[in-house]
């Protein structure tokens, strides 16, 4: 064969290979890309409701897109026993929302889960009783309704911490156990079941309520989580997601009515039929309130090392977990300073 | 008298009187009607609302018992099969059989299950035979409990399990079926130890009940709604509320406080009736009562519904009222106008009388009312005017007569007082000047003089009084002066005889103050006699002015036979004797100051004149300046006698 | 001119107040009319309040005097003010009237 032809062929092949690998590299580098946007599978830890308004807004207003993300929302169904943490672990989803304590306990059990954003700064958990309730101790020997799926950790902690026997009655969803008088008290979240309760039985006197927010069990709740693997591979995606989410939440805080429009829209598209705008509005107001820290600022700061240690030690002491997870393994927040300023979106 | 001072306008006034009266009547009548209307409407509306309340309550009761009847039928169907189940507790087939039977026997039941608590039935975790009517109307059976459907935590199982009582579930959409709204009746089966070991259920489609509720329309715009035990809307006119809102969330969302209160009561199985004031929508009325299964039903009707007809009636009444009032207005106005017709004629009559036709006939008034009185008064006024004018003419005539006679008297009197100056032009040793300015046309002052035997006889006098009587008296005195002076030997003799003459027969008690004198033109001796008169001023040639010292005697005309004492003096040539009446010294200015004797003397001292005419002229001017425009209240008379 | 008449026994006591001039001579004549007739002809006039009299006033007094004398009585005038007395003096009426 001709020497020149061979060289050309060689060069062409080399170029082709280079182009291909370049292509692959490009693809690799941007992850699973969809045009110019990176696809992210996101799973909020409940069905569509105002609790996730910030994320809905980030999607609707194109904040995710601005950060180069194409976010796919995967909602769990009402009766499903599937758990967002399981889904994350199984690689079915990339980013989830969940409660801090649940994530922490899962991590101590070997689950690969890392906190990348802490939206809720306070506990929304409450106990509502049919009689007056001054301390958790009074729950001894009472039938208390609790969720079947999830949040065992806190239930166990309360039981052990208070050193009392509580007859937990698991329910799947709703407040009918309480309304029908089948339980003496019921656990509920201030932004969902509590509001539902008030809309079914009227205002409940404060002396029949204990808010965990006011007790030693005031643990932060809602936040964003992902796996350490994902973080290693796509830290910029995680950061982009957080940035867009913060931007979304800040917008929601300042545009209540428009945010509610977006929420109701998502509900309709997801065929959630048994809610109304008034209820979602009440939920939104409470969720936004829970985002305030002790200084009254919407800071989105992760849990402090001190509080983290306190909680994990509490659980350890009650033998609810069998090992410690280091703070740095659990909490990922390289953008503290920008976060404090709301990434400039305040 | 021929030109009327003004002409009474006929147009406008009468109309407005009629209108004003009509408006007043209208206003009062309108107010009374309105007040009555308001009262009637208020009570009538109260009755209507009460009636409606009763009507609605009845309908509610009927509907509620119909629904309860249906619910009870389902309950009975289940409970009647309890014994059958209890006898078949270990027979799986039999249990399936029972569920099928219940579904096929009872049209209203479209699903039936017997759910056992975990591990009870043959130690199986789940055991729940279940039969249901499929989309093809065939009956199917299956196991209800699966991994995905752990029924022990479903409300329909757990609640009766915990409560140990039968319970109707909250309504739900049947996912398998065609979006039918359903509710499930759960009946717990209790063992000998008192524990619940299984729950029998019946699925009941609520379409029948929902339709029944939706058909309740006691009034055109009224409707009924149904809420479940936890307040969720099951049936409502506004279908967007169903399953999405509870009665409380709806009330809070819309801001209807009364609805919220009613809702709380409904959730507590209350019976009630409430009025709801909705912003901008009028009043609504809510009647509610509970159902057998602790759900609640209510009927809402509005003001317009209940009172609609009443408002129509109100509208009609108001229209009639307005029409009636308009008629009333027109009638009143016409009536008033007619009654006031005589006024027009009176006005015309008044205009004619004003023009001078005093005999103008007044309109007849037949009625015995205020118009009649007015007419009579008018007629009387007319007569009075006629009479008054006649009197006035007479008086004017008389006055004119008197005035003309007075003018004649004045002329005569003026002729009696010497007015030609100088009176003795052929003599050059006597300068005489005088002025008499009466206060009225005829006065009571006099002066006179004549020369006899080279003696100058002179007099000046002031009659007590003014006008014609004083003038007559003055004429008598002047005549007497001339007549007696012609033969009198001395001034006192002259005065005495003059007094006798005047006093005799003097009934009027008038008197004269007088000063008379006889100047010997050769020697300068003056004999004089003063009868109560102002002393004169003697101005010596060197300009000194002194009052003459006089004896007062008595005024003339008062006492017959009074002896007058005379006096005498001698004057130098070049002296002037100035005589005057008290009109001079008693001339008043605006602040009631008198010209006074002092001022007169001062005037005479400070001024010197060549002739009596100049002196008098200046003195009169000075008096005028002093009085400064004030009316003269007495005759001013001045006589100067200068011996040259 | 205010005229007050008091009758005691067989004497009229008259009190005068004010001016007597053209403006009120008519009224004065009417006021003293009761004194011009009747049995009682003795009249005492207190003139302390009379500030002025005109010649017509003098005439009225003269008429009164003549009337009183014709009925056998007399007129006495008391406490006359100086300027009024002067008029009576000048006119010589002081000789006709009894003035004290």
């Amino acid at each position: 064969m001709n020497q020149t032809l061979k060289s050309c062929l060689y060069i062409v092949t080399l170029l082709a290979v280079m182009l291909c690998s370049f292509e692959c590299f490009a693809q690799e580098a941007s992850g699973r890309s969809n045009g110019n946007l990176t696809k992210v599978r996101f799973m909020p830890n409940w069905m569509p409701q105002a609790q996730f308004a910030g994320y809905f807004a980030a999607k609707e207003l194109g904040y995710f897109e601005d950060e180069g993300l194409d976010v796919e929302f995967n909602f769990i169904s009402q009766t499903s026993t599937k758990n967002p943490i399981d889904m994350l672990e199984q690689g079915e989803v990339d980013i989830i929302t969940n409660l801090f304590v649940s994530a922490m306990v899962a991590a101590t059990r070997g689950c690969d889960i890392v906190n990348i954003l802490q939206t809720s700064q306070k506990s929304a958990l409450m106990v509502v009783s049919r009689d007056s309730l001054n301390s958790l101790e009074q729950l001894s020997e009472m039938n208390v309704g609790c969720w079947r799926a999830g949040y065992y950790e806190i239930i166990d902690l309360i039981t052990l911490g208070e050193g009392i026997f509580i007859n937990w009655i698991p329910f799947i969803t709703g407040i009918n156990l309480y309304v029908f008088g089948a339980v003496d008290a019921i656990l509920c979240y201030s932004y969902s079941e509590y509001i539902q309760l008030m809309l079914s039985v009227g205002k409940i006197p404060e002396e029949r309520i204990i808010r965990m927010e006011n007790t030693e069990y005031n643990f932060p709740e809602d936040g964003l989580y992902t796996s350490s693997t994902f973080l290693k591979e796509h830290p910029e995606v995680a950061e982009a997601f957080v940035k867009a989410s913060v931007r979304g939440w800040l917008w929601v805080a300042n545009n209540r009515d428009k945010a509610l429009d977006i929420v109701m829209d998502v509900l309709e598209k997801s065929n959630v039929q048994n809610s109304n705008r008034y209820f979602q509005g009440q939920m939104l107001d409470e969720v936004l309130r829970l985002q305030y820290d002790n200084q009254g600022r919407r800071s989105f700061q992760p849990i402090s090392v001190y509080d983290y240690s306190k909680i994990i030690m509490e659980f350890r002491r009650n033998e609810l977990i069998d090992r410690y997870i280091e703070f740095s393994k659990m909490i990922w927040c390289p953008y503290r300073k920008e976060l404090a300023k709301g990434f400039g979106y305040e | 008298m021929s030109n009327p001072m003004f002409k009474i306008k006929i147009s406008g006034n009468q109309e407005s009187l009629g209108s004003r009266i009509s408006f007043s009547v209208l206003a009062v009548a309108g107010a009374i009607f309105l007040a009555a209307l308001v009262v009637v409407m208020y009570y009538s509306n109260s009755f209507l609302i009460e009636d409606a309340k009763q009507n609605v309550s009845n309908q509610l009761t009927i509907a509620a018992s119909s629904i309860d009847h249906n619910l009870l039928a389902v309950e009975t169907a289940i409970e009647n099969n309890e014994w059958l189940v209890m006898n078949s507790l270990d027979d799986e087939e039999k249990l399936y059989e029972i569920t099928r039977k219940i579904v096929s026997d009872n049209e209203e039941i479209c699903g039936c299950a017997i759910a056992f608590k975990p591990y009870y039935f043959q130690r199986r975790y789940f055991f729940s035979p279940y039969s249901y009517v499929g989309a093809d109307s065939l009956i199917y059976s299956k196991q209800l409990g699966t991994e995905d459907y752990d029924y022990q935590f479903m409300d329909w199982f757990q609640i009766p399990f915990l409560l140990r009582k039968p319970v109707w579930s909250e309504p739900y959409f049947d996912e398998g079926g065609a979006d039918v709204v359903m509710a499930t009746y759960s009946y717990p089966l209790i063992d000998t130890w008192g524990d619940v070991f299984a729950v029998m259920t019946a699925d009941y489609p609520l379409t029948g009940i929902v339709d029944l509720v939706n058909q309740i329309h006691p009034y055109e715009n009224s409707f009924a709604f149904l809420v479940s035990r936890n307040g969720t809307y099951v049936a409502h006119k506004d279908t967007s509320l169903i399953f999405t809102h509870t009665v409380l969330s709806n009330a809070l969302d819309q801001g209807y406080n009364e609805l919220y209160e009613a809702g709380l009561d409904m959730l507590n199985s209350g019976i009630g009736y409430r009025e709801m004031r909705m912003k901008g929508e009028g009043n609504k009325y809510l009647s509610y009562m509970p159902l057998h299964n602790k759900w609640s039903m209510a009927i809402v009707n509005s003001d317009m519904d209940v009172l609609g007809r009443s408002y129509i009636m109100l509208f009609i009444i108001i229209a009639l009222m307005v029409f009636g009032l308009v008629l009333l207005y027109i009638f009143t106005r016409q009536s008033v106008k007619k009654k006031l017709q005589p006024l027009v004629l009176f006005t015309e009559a008044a205009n004619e009388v004003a023009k001078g036709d005093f005999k103008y006939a007044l309109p007849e008034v037949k009625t015995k009312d205020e118009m009649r009185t007015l007419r009579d008064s008018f007629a009387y006024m007319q007569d009075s005017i006629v009479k008054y004018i006649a009197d006035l003419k007479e008086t004017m005539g008389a006055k004119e007569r008197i005035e003309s006679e007075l003018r004649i008297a004045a002329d005569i009197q003026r002729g009696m007082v010497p007015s030609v100056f100088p009176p003795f032009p052929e003599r050059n040793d006597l300068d005489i000047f005088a002025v008499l300015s009466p206060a009225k046309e005829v006065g009571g002052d006099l002066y006179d003089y004549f020369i006899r035997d080279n003696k100058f006889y002179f007099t000046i006098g002031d009659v007590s009084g003014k006008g014609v009587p004083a003038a007559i008296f003055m004429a008598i005195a002047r005549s007497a002066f001339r007549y007696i002076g012609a033969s009198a030997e001395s001034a006192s003799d002259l005065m005495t005889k003059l007094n006798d003459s005047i006093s005799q027969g003097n009934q009027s008690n008038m008197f004269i103050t007088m000063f008379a004198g006889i100047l010997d033109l050769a020697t300068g001796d003056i004999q004089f006699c003063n009868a109560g008169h102002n002393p004169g001023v003697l101005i010596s040639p060197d300009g000194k002015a002194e009052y003459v010292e006089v004896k007062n005697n008595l005024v003339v005309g008062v006492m017959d036979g009074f002896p007058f004492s005379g006096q005498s003096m001698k004057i130098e040539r070049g002296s002037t004797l100035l005589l005057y009446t008290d009109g001079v010294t008693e001339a008043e200015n605006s602040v009631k100051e008198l010209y006074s004797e002092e001022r007169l003397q001062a005037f005479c001292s400070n001024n010197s004149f060549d002739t009596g005419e100049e002196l008098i002229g200046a003195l009169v001017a000075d008096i005028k300046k002093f009085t400064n425009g004030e009316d003269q209240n007495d005759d001013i008379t001045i006589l100067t006698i200068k011996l040259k | 001119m205010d005229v007050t008449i008091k009758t005691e026994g067989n004497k009229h006591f008259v009190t005068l107040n004010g001016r007597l001039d053209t403006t009120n001579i008519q009224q004065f004549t009417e006021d003293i009319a009761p004194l011009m007739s009747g049995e009682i002809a003795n009249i005492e006039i207190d003139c302390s309040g009379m500030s002025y009299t005109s010649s017509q006033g003098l005439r009225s007094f003269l008429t009164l005097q003549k009337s009183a004398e014709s009925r056998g009585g007399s007129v006495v005038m008391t406490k006359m003010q100086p300027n009024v007395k002067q008029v009576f003096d000048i006119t010589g009426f002081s000789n006709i009237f009894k003035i004290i």
Side-chain angles (χ1 to χ4, degrees):
Chain A
M1 222 194 227
N2 202 336
Q3 199 55 320
T4 359
L5 201 63
K6 224 193 205 160
S7 322
C8 286
L9 209 60
Y10 184 68
I11 293 168
V12 167
T13 324
L14 196 60
L15 276 171
V17 168
M18 275 174 73
L19 258 158
C20 281
S21 47
F22 210 73
E23 182 76 43
C24 291
F25 262 125
Q27 289 232 353
E28 196 69 45
S30 57
R32 287 156 247 109
S33 52
N34 176 15
N36 296 326
L37 302 172
T38 313
K39 181 142 180 210
V40 177
R41 293 164 306 172
F42 172 59
M43 184 181 225
N45 63 326
W46 198 243
M47 292 178 301
Q49 54 188 20
Q51 182 183 5
F52 312 114
Y55 309 113
F56 297 156
K59 170 94 177 157
E60 179 67 23
L61 301 170
Y63 297 159
F64 282 135
E65 260 184 47
D66 290 345
E67 301 293 332
L69 304 177
D70 170 24
V71 176
E72 177 194 277
F73 283 72
N74 297 298
F75 295 107
I76 63 175
S77 73
Q78 188 162 350
T79 50
S80 107
T81 45
K82 280 187 227 158
N83 185 328
I85 293 182
D86 293 336
M87 297 288 275
L88 182 67
E89 201 170 13
Q90 286 155 27
E92 304 269 350
V93 291
D94 304 316
I95 297 180
I96 62 169
T97 66
N98 220 289
L99 305 168
F100 179 78
V101 168
S102 307
M104 186 196 77
V105 168
T108 63
R109 294 203 181 118
C111 187
D112 178 13
I113 184 167
V114 180
N115 175 300
I116 58 175
L117 178 70
Q118 190 59 42
T119 52
S120 149
Q121 300 291 329
K122 304 191 224 266
S123 173
L125 190 60
M126 299 166 64
V127 186
V128 175
S129 168
R130 300 190 78 84
D131 268 325
S132 74
L133 187 68
N134 296 319
S135 69
L136 291 170
E137 250 186 329
Q138 281 176 269
L139 293 174
S140 175
E141 311 276 333
M142 277 169 75
N143 290 350
V144 183
C146 68
W147 300 272
R148 178 158 179 253
Y151 232 16
Y152 287 121
E153 310 80 9
I154 205 90
I155 288 163
D156 293 337
L157 187 66
I158 290 171
T159 313
L160 291 170
E162 298 296 313
I164 51 176
F165 170 73
I166 299 174
N167 190 16
W168 296 106
I169 310 286
F171 59 86
I172 297 193
T173 188
I175 41 144
N176 291 323
L177 279 185
Y178 181 91
V179 175
F180 279 70
V183 291
D184 303 315
I186 192 171
L187 289 184
C188 52
Y189 281 117
S190 62
Y191 54 81
S192 57
E193 288 90 1
Y194 178 61
I195 296 172
Q196 258 181 294
L197 261 182
M198 289 209 288
L199 294 176
S200 285
V201 303
K203 275 203 77 88
I204 299 168
E206 278 298 313
E207 61 256 19
R208 286 165 38 191
I209 298 172
I210 288 186
R211 293 172 199 262
M212 294 306 173
E213 189 184 327
N214 300 328
T215 67
E216 71 223 72
Y217 304 105
N218 181 21
F219 307 138
E221 288 178 359
D222 287 7
L224 285 176
Y225 295 88
T226 186
S227 61
S228 58
T229 335
F230 186 85
L231 264 185
K232 242 193 238 98
E233 285 167 28
H234 314 284
E236 72 288 350
V237 172
E239 185 169 340
F241 194 94
V242 167
K243 207 163 158 199
S245 302
V246 167
R247 193 176 168 199
W249 276 113
L250 289 171
W251 180 89
V252 163
N254 289 324
N255 295 277
R256 184 188 190 267
D257 277 339
K258 292 210 197 107
L260 272 178
D261 290 340
I262 294 177
V263 167
M264 293 311 287
D265 204 37
V266 172
L267 252 63
E268 210 191 289
K269 289 206 185 94
S270 314
N271 207 26
V272 171
Q273 288 175 333
N274 60 348
S275 192
N276 60 71
R277 194 192 165 97
Y278 178 76
F279 176 78
Q280 295 295 326
Q282 299 291 102
M283 177 186 281
L284 182 62
D285 291 338
E286 178 62 11
V287 166
L288 286 170
R289 185 190 77 86
L290 292 164
Q291 290 176 354
Y292 282 128
D293 60 20
N294 292 335
Q295 279 81 47
R297 279 197 65 236
R298 192 166 279 114
S299 60
F300 298 116
Q301 294 293 310
I303 191 169
S304 67
V305 176
Y306 173 72
D307 287 334
Y308 176 85
S309 311
K310 231 175 58 168
I311 296 172
I312 204 165
M313 277 192 339
E314 184 74 15
F315 273 86
R316 185 83 184 87
R317 195 178 30 242
N318 286 297
E319 290 172 21
L320 291 167
I321 56 175
D322 49 18
R323 60 185 170 117
Y324 288 107
I325 297 286
E326 282 153 356
F327 179 81
S328 54
K329 283 220 169 68
M330 190 68 222
I331 312 292
W332 181 81
C333 187
Y335 34 65
R336 242 181 236 273
K337 265 199 232 134
E338 292 89 330
L339 188 58
K341 293 185 206 135
F343 287 111
Y345 291 121
E346 211 142 36
Chain B
M1 242 9 193
S2 56
N3 288 333
M5 288 198 295
F6 58 90
K7 188 171 168 114
I8 307 166
K9 284 212 175 5
I10 298 179
S11 68
N13 287 354
Q14 216 172 319
E15 303 283 88
S16 66
L17 185 62
S19 301
R20 276 206 301 278
I21 293 175
S22 304
F23 266 130
S24 309
V25 169
L26 193 80
V28 171
I32 294 172
F33 279 144
L34 264 166
L37 194 63
V38 165
V39 170
V40 164
M41 284 310 291
Y42 176 76
Y43 279 107
S44 137
N45 283 355
S46 305
F47 290 142
L48 280 172
I49 290 175
E50 263 310 299
D51 269 353
K53 184 174 161 185
Q54 197 54 45
N55 181 15
V56 163
S57 174
N58 289 344
Q59 291 218 5
L60 198 58
T61 311
I62 293 170
S65 55
S66 174
I67 295 175
D68 286 347
H69 179 80
N70 291 344
L71 297 172
L72 273 161
V74 171
E75 292 175 22
T76 316
I78 294 295
E79 284 153 32
N80 283 350
N81 285 293
E82 183 184 5
W83 67 272
L84 206 53
V85 172
M86 295 303 251
N87 288 343
S88 323
L89 283 178
D90 39 12
D91 188 345
E92 185 174 335
E93 245 330 293
K94 195 73 208 285
L95 290 170
Y96 269 99
E97 175 77 38
I98 292 169
T99 62
R100 266 196 296 270
K101 177 170 169 300
I102 290 174
V103 172
S104 69
D105 280 355
N106 296 286
E107 227 187 84
E108 64 275 15
I109 297 179
C110 64
C112 174
I114 304 171
F116 286 83
K117 78 174 181 190
Y119 303 119
Y120 186 85
F121 189 82
Q122 293 165 8
R123 288 194 288 277
R124 282 146 77 160
Y125 182 70
F126 296 119
F127 182 65
S128 175
Y130 173 64
S131 296
Y132 61 96
V133 178
D136 51 7
S137 305
L138 292 173
I139 299 177
Y140 295 88
S141 299
K142 71 174 190 186
Q143 238 328 295
L144 195 53
T146 64
E147 263 196 34
D148 284 328
Y149 190 76
D150 190 347
Y151 58 75
Q152 73 168 314
F153 301 112
M154 304 307 282
D155 284 342
W156 60 258
F157 183 88
Q158 201 170 39
I159 293 179
F161 183 82
L162 291 165
L163 285 176
R164 286 190 257 226
K165 285 204 199 97
V167 170
W168 274 95
S169 78
E170 288 297 298
Y172 56 90
F173 273 111
D174 178 24
E175 275 158 45
D179 269 348
V180 175
V181 179
M182 313 261 288
T184 298
Y185 177 66
S186 304
Y187 183 80
L189 298 175
I190 299 178
D191 64 19
T192 38
W193 293 279
D195 293 328
V196 176
F197 65 89
V199 173
M200 276 177 78
T201 68
D203 299 335
Y204 176 62
L206 298 175
T207 24
I209 293 178
V210 170
D211 285 344
L212 190 147
V213 169
N214 286 336
Q215 273 158 26
I216 298 177
H217 285 294
Y219 300 96
E220 204 185 301
N221 290 312
S222 59
F223 64 94
F225 65 86
L226 180 66
V227 296
S228 67
R229 190 164 171 166
N230 71 7
T232 309
Y233 285 108
V234 182
H236 195 283
K237 186 170 81 164
D238 177 2
T239 51
S240 75
L241 292 174
I242 297 173
F243 277 112
T244 60
H245 270 278
T246 66
V247 62
L248 296 183
S249 72
N250 185 29
L252 286 171
D253 194 19
Q254 306 271 24
Y256 295 147
N257 290 334
E258 287 103 347
L259 182 61
Y260 186 86
E261 299 295 320
L264 283 177
D265 203 20
M266 285 169 82
L267 290 164
N268 282 321
S269 300
I271 303 183
Y273 169 83
R274 250 164 237 267
E275 274 183 39
M276 305 198 287
R277 260 157 277 279
M278 315 285 205
K279 13 178 178 152
E281 285 177 44
N283 285 353
K284 289 212 194 311
Y285 307 95
L286 184 77
S287 285
Y288 53 88
M289 68 185 289
L291 295 177
H292 157 77
N293 61 349
K294 301 227 167 112
W295 291 10
S296 183
M297 196 166 93
I299 296 183
V300 180
N301 55 308
S302 74
D303 254 351
M304 273 326 283
D305 286 334
V306 175
L307 302 176
R309 226 174 291 141
S310 158
Y311 284 141
I312 291 175
M313 220 183 62
L314 175 71
F315 183 72
I316 292 174
I317 290 178
I318 289 181
L320 278 177
M321 191 176 96
V322 167
F323 181 65
L325 284 176
V326 168
L327 277 181
L328 180 67
Y329 175 79
I330 293 173
F331 172 74
T332 312
R333 228 177 75 158
Q334 287 308 109
S335 181
V336 167
K337 204 166 147 188
K338 183 157 166 268
K339 292 284 184 301
L340 294 183
Q341 187 57 27
L343 275 185
V344 177
L345 299 173
F346 277 127
T347 316
E348 279 174 16
N351 282 336
E352 289 307 308
V353 168
K355 281 199 207 133
D357 182 359
F358 301 121
K359 295 286 190 298
Y360 189 84
L362 292 175
E364 280 302 312
V365 176
K366 294 202 179 58
T367 55
K368 292 200 171 85
D369 60 6
E370 291 86 346
M371 279 297 165
R372 179 65 174 271
T373 317
L374 179 65
R375 187 220 177 265
D376 291 346
S377 302
F378 210 88
Y380 177 70
M381 189 182 76
Q382 211 177 4
D383 286 343
S384 304
I385 291 179
V386 171
K387 215 181 296 183
Y388 179 77
I389 290 172
D391 285 347
L392 211 58
K393 274 199 183 137
E394 218 179 275
T395 318
M396 293 299 285
K399 190 166 162 231
E400 270 173 37
R401 269 197 306 278
I402 292 173
E403 271 176 2
S404 65
E405 276 171 15
L406 267 177
R407 258 176 267 127
I408 295 169
D411 287 339
I412 294 175
Q413 191 195 40
R414 249 194 298 280
M416 296 192 96
V417 168
S419 54
V420 175
F421 299 100
F424 312 108
E426 68 285 0
R427 297 192 75 105
N428 56 1
D429 55 354
L430 205 53
D431 172 10
I432 309 290
F433 199 81
V435 74
L436 194 158
S437 164
K440 282 197 168 138
E441 285 205 355
V442 284
D445 279 4
L446 75 95
Y447 66 87
D448 200 12
Y449 44 75
F450 58 87
I451 297 181
R452 176 164 74 90
D453 299 338
N454 206 34
K455 293 207 177 77
F456 179 66
Y457 290 74
F458 61 91
T459 186
I460 188 167
D462 183 356
V463 177
S464 70
K466 294 190 203 50
V468 172
I472 295 171
F473 217 70
M474 166 266 209
I476 297 170
R478 188 258 184 186
S479 307
F481 171 72
R482 287 256 170 153
Y483 169 71
I484 295 164
S487 61
E489 279 151 29
S490 66
S492 56
D493 181 37
L494 191 151
M495 201 61 99
T496 308
K497 285 196 175 121
L498 192 80
N499 180 54
D500 289 345
S501 161
I502 291 175
S503 301
Q504 281 163 17
N506 178 15
Q507 301 282 24
S508 74
N509 290 325
M510 289 173 87
F511 55 84
I512 319 176
T513 65
M514 270 181 92
F515 181 90
I518 307 173
L519 170 62
D520 188 330
L521 290 164
T523 64
D525 291 311
I526 305 182
Q527 284 182 40
F528 59 90
C529 183
N530 187 50
H533 194 79
N534 308 68
V537 180
L538 179 63
I539 308 170
S540 36
D542 58 6
K544 268 212 278 277
E546 302 273 341
Y547 278 102
V548 177
E549 289 210 28
V550 295
K551 289 200 195 129
N552 285 328
N553 293 304
L554 180 66
V555 295
V556 168
V558 167
M559 192 182 277
D560 181 13
F562 184 85
F564 282 83
S565 344
Q567 290 163 269
S568 64
M569 63 180 178
K570 187 174 170 122
I571 62 170
E572 287 168 45
R573 294 203 181 261
S575 311
T576 307
L577 179 63
L578 182 131
L579 300 169
Y580 61 92
T581 61
D582 62 8
V584 169
T585 48
E586 289 182 8
E588 252 180 25
N589 67 4
S590 55
V591 296
K592 297 235 186 277
E593 269 179 330
L594 303 179
Y595 191 76
S596 79
E597 279 86 0
E598 289 78 21
R599 206 169 262 123
L600 178 60
Q601 182 179 9
F603 179 83
C604 295
S605 298
N606 301 337
N607 301 296
S608 63
F609 303 93
D610 290 331
T611 64
E613 188 174 354
E614 282 170 23
L615 191 156
I616 288 178
L619 178 56
V620 166
D622 196 50
I623 295 169
K624 268 214 179 64
K625 189 167 121 201
F626 175 81
T627 58
N628 195 21
E630 284 296 297
D631 285 343
Q632 194 180 322
N633 57 4
D634 199 357
D635 303 339
I636 291 177
T637 309
I638 310 171
L639 170 64
T640 55
I641 304 167
K642 187 169 178 182
L643 183 65
K644 293 204 287 203
Chain C
M1 167 75 87
D2 290 324
V3 179
T4 335
I5 305 174
K6 256 193 286 222
T7 317
E8 279 176 25
N10 68 336
K11 205 168 183 185
H12 290 303
F13 290 89
V14 183
T15 317
L16 300 177
N17 244 315
R19 288 167 62 95
L20 183 54
D21 57 28
T22 340
T23 61
N24 55 6
I25 191 67
Q26 186 76 5
Q27 183 64 41
F28 182 70
T29 315
E30 284 170 29
D31 291 341
I32 59 170
L35 304 166
M36 303 286 265
S37 59
E39 290 224 348
I40 304 170
N42 291 321
I43 300 162
E44 185 174 310
I45 305 178
D46 180 345
C47 304
S48 56
M50 180 168 68
S51 55
Y52 171 83
T53 183
S54 66
S55 50
Q56 283 164 308
L58 293 174
R59 200 172 126 209
S60 300
F61 288 125
L62 185 60
T63 315
L64 183 65
Q65 165 92 313
K66 287 216 168 135
S67 158
E69 278 176 0
S70 71
R71 286 178 283 136
S74 68
V75 176
V76 174
M77 302 176 87
T78 66
K79 304 177 201 152
M80 206 178 270
Q81 287 188 19
N83 58 325
V84 175
K85 180 79 171 33
Q86 193 180 24
V87 172
F88 274 74
D89 288 340
I90 293 177
T91 54
F93 271 58
S94 306
N95 300 326
I96 305 185
F97 286 97
K98 192 148 179 214
I99 301 172
I100 38 178

